[in-house]
Amino acid sequence: MATNLKETKEFIEAKLTGFKPEVAIVVGSGLGGIADLITKPVVIPYKDIPHFPKPSVPGHAGQIVCGQLGNKNVLVLNGRFHLYEGRSLEEVVYPIHVIDALGVKTLIITNAAGGINPSFNPGNLMIIEDHINFLGVNPLLGGVNGSGIKFTDMTQAYSTRLREKLDAAAEKLQIQIWRGVYLATPGPSYETPAEIKAFAWIGADAVGMSTVPEVLVARYHNIEVAGISCITNLAAGISSKRLSHDEVLAVGAATQEKLAKLLTEFIGML
Ligand code: HPA
């Protein structure tokens, strides 16, 4: 293990005093409410963790919250890093290498996304069935930490087993849920209507600016992934409305309670 990663891992383990996280959750823009449901939380601000990137975007809390949720030991990464902040790919995916080092085997990843599929509305939740990497980069380029190139299989990027469990959790709670393909762009501009038409044509149902780098690294480590998009707006040109980050945050905030309930039920089923 690289020295930096080892120091990060040892710092976090010392704070967790024997607690072993099994499930990690990455929360997207305005979707951090699930962290409040954790019992006996241990909170570790990113700024205190050696070698951990430091947060900069409003709406992103920037802390690890560990504790029990749905009878499992969970670790919430409340605040993520994006390419659009001008971060390096290494920074974006560093937390995923850290959860792997801590022994996490399941990753739940959430994000805010624009709805491309015409049946989607703001406030809908979409189980991510698959993704399209439109970032033009891949965090696995050149190999990871000098360990050589690994041709990572992505046929189960979002595990069928976990998608079925998400479906079952939604059905049990009578939460309406959609399914679809998430396409990632680097941002920070939203898309043009022409880009959205093109993305629909190549098979995307939702568009966002995150998630794909983290999932690539999680699959590299053989961590099983479940993904959920919160549709915060209709993508450019689907409606005549202009897009705004404030709206994305507001719809995320209004939807996070439903999302937190769903994830709690889901985690209980794991
Ligand atoms: N496009 C890209 N990213 C997003 C959007 C969008 O419409 N909504 C939330 N994140």
Side-chain angles (χ1 to χ4, degrees):
M1 190 182 298
T3 318
N4 283 0
L5 190 57
K6 190 162 174 287
E7 286 174 11
T8 304
K9 168 187 175 303
E10 286 171 358
F11 177 88
I12 296 171
E13 280 177 343
K15 295 274 177 201
L16 296 184
T17 56
F19 173 94
K20 295 261 177 258
E22 305 156 85
V23 179
I25 310 174
V26 174
V27 293
S29 301
L31 299 173
I34 189 148
D36 301 335
L37 301 182
I38 288 182
T39 50
K40 297 201 207 126
V42 175
V43 177
I44 314 172
Y46 290 171
K47 66 177 173 34
D48 295 347
I49 306 173
H51 314 297
F52 217 81
K54 311 293 176 253
S56 67
V57 173
H60 292 263
Q63 55 193 18
I64 287 177
V65 184
C66 280
Q68 289 268 313
L69 188 70
N71 275 327
K72 297 284 180 319
N73 286 354
V74 306
L75 179 156
V76 178
L77 288 157
N78 198 357
R80 63 141 63 91
F81 306 103
H82 305 86
L83 291 174
Y84 64 67
E85 298 169 67
R87 306 271 183 176
S88 67
L89 263 176
E90 288 73 22
E91 285 180 286
V92 171
V93 300
Y94 192 72
I96 308 302
H97 291 302
V98 172
I99 60 164
D100 171 63
L102 292 169
V104 166
K105 296 285 176 249
T106 307
L107 173 65
I108 302 168
I109 196 150
T110 69
N111 59 48
I116 298 179
N117 185 317
S119 57
F120 291 174
N121 282 303
N124 288 166
L125 295 177
M126 180 189 92
I127 297 174
I128 305 176
E129 293 193 304
D130 208 343
H131 75 217
I132 297 173
N133 182 359
F134 218 81
L135 299 171
V137 288
N138 186 312
L140 307 178
L141 277 175
V144 171
N145 295 326
S147 62
I149 303 295
K150 186 166 122 187
F151 294 93
T152 300
D153 175 60
M154 292 297 286
T155 53
Q156 279 285 306
Y158 303 83
S159 139
T160 308
R161 187 183 82 89
L162 295 184
R163 282 189 273 137
E164 284 169 357
K165 284 195 190 293
L166 274 172
D167 264 328
E171 183 164 348
K172 178 149 182 235
L173 298 174
Q174 297 283 296
I175 290 174
Q176 217 180 356
I177 197 113
W178 279 258
R179 278 159 223 91
V181 172
Y182 175 87
L183 181 147
T185 75
S189 52
Y190 289 112
E191 301 69 35
T192 62
E195 286 165 343
I196 293 301
K197 264 192 208 158
F199 294 165
W201 195 70
I202 62 172
D205 296 289
V207 59
M209 304 173 189
S210 67
T211 301
V212 165
E214 292 106 310
V215 172
L216 286 162
V217 170
R219 295 308 297 142
Y220 170 89
H221 288 301
N222 220 10
I223 295 173
E224 201 176 3
V225 178
I228 299 227
S229 290
C230 170
I231 305 299
T232 52
N233 57 282
L234 300 182
I238 304 280
S239 87
S240 50
K241 255 180 95 179
R242 290 167 69 99
L243 273 52
S244 86
H245 185 57
D246 288 344
E247 186 192 346
V248 167
L249 291 180
V251 176
T255 314
Q256 63 178 336
E257 199 182 317
K258 178 167 70 171
L259 177 63
K261 267 197 206 141
L262 175 67
L263 292 184
T264 307
E265 184 68 31
F266 169 68
I267 290 167
M269 291 177 166
L270 292 176

